[in-house]
Every structure is written in structure tokens, then in C-alpha cells.
Amino acid sequence: MNFSWLVVYIQTVSHYDFFAFYPEKNWLIMKSHLIQMFLLIGILTAGTGKVHAQYKYPFQNPNLPVEKRIDNILSLMTLDEKISCLSTNPSVPRLGIVGASHVEGLHGVSMGGPANWGKYATPTPTTTFPQAYGLAETWDPALLKKVAAVEGYETRYLFQNPNYKSKGLVVRAPNADLGRDPRWGRTEECYGEDPFFNGTMVTAFVKGLQGDNSKYWLTASLMKHFLANSNEDERTWSSSNFNERLFREYYSVPFRMGIEDGGSQAYMASYNSWNEIPMMVNPVLKNVTVKEWGQKGIICTDGGALKLLISDHKYYPDLEEGAAEAVKAGINQFLDDYAGAIRAALKDKLLTEADIDSVIRGDFRVMIKLGLLDPPNDNPYSQIGLNGEPAPWKNQTNKDLVKLVTQKSIVLLKNNNRTLPLQTGKTKSIAVIGRFANEVLGDWYGGTPPYTVTPLDGIRSRVGDSIRVSYAEDNTGNKAVDLAKTSDYAIVVVGNHPTGDAGWAKVTKPSYGKEAVDRKSINLEDEELIKQIYRVNPKTIVVLISSFPYAINWTEHNVPAILHMTHCSQEEGSALASVLFGDFNPGGRLVQTWPLAITQLPPRLDYDITKGRTYMYFKGQPLYPFGFGLSYTTFKYSNLKVSSDNIQTGKPLTISFDITNTGKRTGDEVAQLYVRHLHSEVQRPQKELKGFERITIQPGETKTVSLKLHAKDLAYWNEIKKAFTVEPDRVQLQIGSSSDDIRLTEEVQVKE
């Protein structure tokens, strides 16, 4: 009888607690009578071929505990290999460990695009959705999860298919930063200004990227940028200063939800400081995200952050000390030239090998969750891209999803006298005006779409030969005005250029913003073009395609119909046309407060939002409030019920109400739940979003919406107790269609 399989198995597991192994005598002493069981298994299965656990190293055994596997990996690695694993690619070729590096993916996998991610001579097309800001304007977490699932699948496909050169399964998305100021150049990357809303959308995106399997991830979601990173011009040296209460109740909420609710085990530390301590060495990395929230995976720097720690922050005298302190703070992946500094720190005893061991464990935890250290047949995602399946970005299902998401992201800002939807039978001619009408633009973190449908293409395709559609890029030689004069309607497509229409850290207009550039103005430069067209054709419709809010006061006051959407969707034009002509009823909602003027905003670098930022503390009159959006139909709210007149820990409150579609078109309503504290002992927001649901309702139909509210949702951070505290208070529940359109209210008592 051949027991070679048993010897190999015993050698594999003898590193652990069941055995004492003495190789000098070739003795194996089992610490219990379990040896009898192994012998019995060997007898019963000899010759059957059913047991072949022949692993060269213990870490290759997927049945061993994760931490035991990592113990073995570390015991086998050289110091140079450990230093190498502080990069974004934790591979150990000598041991057969192939790790995965990073890819960008805020709204589609970036394998090229305007920033040329991956530096491919020929970029690989991937399914391309609207910008993250537009995804948020759907107010549909379930839909966002589907978007991320498509992206996750394509990321895995590109990683495993031998025809492509992608090495990444760690997706740098979502951006969990909060858009506290519309001047922030990277507003396009975030989900808006509200912590609960952003956290809900972040959680959905994380879950979509990582998949629903209980053991393995489809991809790993790496959130950006922890923490309070919403200024660009000074980001490499500035400090975002605010108290611990705002840290707990506002800035950290989407990250905490992404970890605790979504399951993300990776994030990027931001360039800036918090309260004068640079984030990549801030104690909060370990003290809060690791010890409190359970973040056990990747914590990486931003690109070049190690050098900036010395040159811009001037926090340490040299790279050697900076690198050592970053590792001790919890950093386990550097997006930087770090190896020399790490070796010098080891030599001068500023850092130990044990310090490195402690942090790179997180890299291997993520690689194990991705299934990269396990036999392929154990991982349900291991065959994606290997069976000759066509590229997923070519399938109709993905194309249809992009169109639906883009439709749902469109926000109707104004619609006087039912200007929209346009009626093809009563319209003979349309003038489409504006440069952005004839192109679909990519942004800095976007990829390369497999095709694009421009607004002009979408409109022409929708109407066919039944309506004359003419086009002018601008008003050079009065061409646009002349076309508008002779057309039934003028559709003016304006907005920002998402890459600034220029090179790195440059933009061509003051209202443009992007990475490394904050906006100097929130006024729309193209509003002058709108005025010229409106003067000759009062049936002017403005389509604002923008990455952030604009103070379009003249347009709001004069033009009868305004739509907002964001850039990048491959189905931009088809989705827009479907809304313009009533094939789809817009139901998107704004995710930021749109101010009337830049003068309504506090100083850009003031991070204390209680001084007038966001709908929660804004004192003035906005142009458009948070949560705002119109429809082609109307909705009536009624029959508010609460499950109790009080709320306490362990007994969630159920809030239900009816919504009736009182119009003649099927439409989507976004029901929003806000709370207002009436007698709190500490300063509270004017109101806070605590629940929402987007529902589709037929004409004349009534649907009941039920939302849950927990006592913990009403807690504030007690800086004396260093804990969240639920105080006895009366709270007003506010149900409405936006933060400024409350339809139903009720008061409940909060008990400790």
C-alpha cells in the first residue's frame, strides 16, 4: 500500500499544532490519538485517487487558516522579497505567488483613456458608465451594485485572459470622499455631500466589485482617499482641520460604512494632513480603521506621497525616517520609489523586519480573498476569460445597463409649461448647438469606451427623417443664432470639459476643475451662448453636462427647460434623447447643494462644515437644494405611519407612507427621510438624510414605502466619552421629495 500521500500531507500540516516533527530522526509524534484517523483514511482511500493534498508548502493548502498560511509565507520569504511586497504588486515568484496589482475603475475599468492608464499602445475598450457623480444622481444603490459587478467582471476577465496584459485585480474605487465644496476639482469622482448617502452608495459599489461569494472576491475594492481630501491646489501640503466629532459623524462615515457594511479591505491614504499630521503616517489609520472597524487588508499611499511627506509637508528630515514611520503607521503598499529608504531604515534600526512582516500580512490577506493562492477549481471566478467567451463589453446586456443607468442619472432641473418632453408630431425642426453636443468626453479616471453615442447622434437617431436636425458647434459667424431662428426648438448643450481641455494641472476656463486643479469660478462661461440663442428662440432647452454644480442663475430664471447629466457614458446621447422625447421619464436627484453664487461658500480650505456647508448647515437660499429633481408626472404623499411613538436601542422604528402618481405618465419618485433634532444638548444639523428609496409608479397607482430608522442612526459623537451617544430627545421625521420639499412630518421620542 502506497502511503506517500499521507507522508506529504503530514509534512504539510506538521508545522501546526497537531504534531511535533523531528526531521533529524524522521519522527512524527502526533499530539493526540488522531493519527488513527489519518491511518484509517489512508487505508480506505488507497488506490482511489481521491486524496491528493500534495502541497509543496503549507500556505498552498486552502483548508488551513488564513493567518497560518501567512505565517508560513513570511517564514519562507527573504528580506528582499518582503521589501518588494511593499509595492502594489505583492508577488513572490520564487514561491510561485502571483499577486495582483491595481487598476483604476470609478465608472468602468480604465485600460487607457485620457490619462493613458497602463500606458498601452492600443487601449483596451471597456464598458463605460457615467462619471461617479452621475452614478450617484440615480439614487439607486441596487443599480450601482450592478454597475460595479460589470466592472468587476471585466477586471477579472482582463486579468485572466491571456490576450490582455492587465495585472490588476485591486480596483481603486469607489471614491468615498465627501463633496463638501463644489469648487473641489475632483467633485466628479465622489457621490456628493451627504455622509449617509455616500456611505450607502459606497457600500453598494464595494459589494458589486467584490461579488457575492462567501469565500472569494471577484475583485478587491480599494477606496479613495482617506481622509478629508477635497481640495486640489494645496493637497500635497495642506491640513484639513476639524474636530473628532466631525471626523466620526461626517468625513469618515462613507469609509467606515464601506468597511463595516460593504466589506472593503483596502483603501488609499490621502496626500493631505488631518489636524497637521499627514494621513499616510496618521495614528488614525491603525487606531480607528484597523482596531475599531476591522480593516485588515491593504493601506496604500497615494502616488509619490512618500517624497511629498518630506518635500511638501516637511514632516520628516529624510525619506528614510518617513518610510519607517509610514510602515509603523500601517502602510503596506507604496505608490512610490521607496525601497532604498526602507533598506536604509532597516540598516539604521528605525525599522525592523517584524514591522514589515506585520503590515504585509494585509497584502496576502487580500490575495487569498482573491483566490490567487488557491487551486483554480476552488474559486468560482477563476475561469472568467479563459473559455473563449467574447469580450463582455461587447454584449448587449452591458450596453442596455449603461443606457438605463444613464437615463436614471439625468436630473430635470426645470420644465416650465411642460416644454419637455418634445412631441415629434408637432415638431418639424430642431437646432442642436454646442461643442459638447457632438462628442462624448472622457475624464482623468475614465477608460476607453467601445463606442460612443453623442447627444447629436442620439437625437438624430431618435427622430429619423421626421424632424430636421441641424447643428452648430458655437456661434462663429452667427451660425448658431441663424439655426436657432429658423428652428422650432433649440437644444443648447453646455458644461465643463472633464480633463480641463489641457495638460496636467491645467485648465482652459476658470469654472473647469479636475485632479490637481480646483475651480476658480462656479459660473458657466457658456451662459453667454445660451443668452444669444434664447433671444432669438424662446423655446430653448439647456442640457448641462457637467461634473459639478454651476450657478446658472440667468438660465434658471429665463430658459423654460433644463436637464443635468454627467460626462463619459458610452450611451450619453441615446439616454439623453430618450428623456428629451419622453421615452424615459427623468427621476434623477442632485447629490449636492447648488449655490446661487460663490460668495455663499465659506473659505475653500475651511473644513468645519458647521460654518455653513452642505444642506445640513447651509443658511442661505440655494439655486437647487440637495435631493432636488423634477419629473414629467406628479406625486402625492399621504398616510404616514410609524410603528411606535418612541425609538430606542434594539427596537428600530418602521416608517411607512403612501405615494400616488397623480399624473398621466409612469415615473420614478425618490422618497427621502430626514430627521431633525428638536432639543439636543449639542449642535446638530438642520436636518440629516437617514433613508431613501427610488420607486417606479404607474399613473394613478399608489405604492407604500417602508423605511427603517435605528436609534444608533440618531447618535452623536461624545468627545468626552469617546463614544457615540444616543441622547433622550424629540426628533422630527421629515418625508419628502428633496431636502427642501418636505411633504409629511411626525415627531417621535428618542430613549437612551
Side-chain angles (χ1 to χ4, degrees), residues 361-379:
R361 298 184 74 92
D363 296 337
F364 293 117
R365 291 185 190 111
V366 171
M367 298 308 120
I368 289 171
K369 284 294 292 183
L370 289 169
L372 299 180
L373 276 64
D374 293 3
N377 59 330
D378 288 347
N379 182 356

Side-chain angles (χ1 to χ4, degrees), residues 185-198:
R186 297 176 79 171
T187 295
E188 66 195 35
E189 298 182 27
C190 80
Y191 296 142
E193 70 184 24
D194 181 83
F196 169 77
F197 177 83
N198 280 33

Side-chain angles (χ1 to χ4, degrees), residues 556-567:
E556 165 61 26
H557 184 71
N558 292 279
V559 173
I562 308 169
L563 292 166
H564 176 257
M565 64 190 304
T566 60
H567 294 283

Side-chain angles (χ1 to χ4, degrees), residues 47-92:
T48 66
K50 292 183 179 179
V51 178
H52 291 286
Q54 299 185 17
Y55 304 108
K56 184 176 181 181
Y57 304 110
F59 75 80
Q60 295 170 326
N61 183 355
N63 297 315
L64 294 180
V66 169
E67 297 307 314
K68 292 291 187 182
R69 297 176 74 183
I70 297 173
D71 286 342
N72 180 241
I73 292 171
L74 295 175
S75 73
L76 297 169
M77 291 174 70
T78 66
L79 180 57
D80 281 344
E81 287 170 335
K82 292 174 181 179
I83 293 172
S84 178
C85 283
L86 286 169
S87 71
T88 57
N89 188 355
S91 297
V92 190

Side-chain angles (χ1 to χ4, degrees), residues 273-284:
S273 296
W274 173 43
N275 293 350
E276 311 303 331
I277 303 176
M279 286 310 304
M280 66 177 287
V281 294
N282 201 300
V284 77

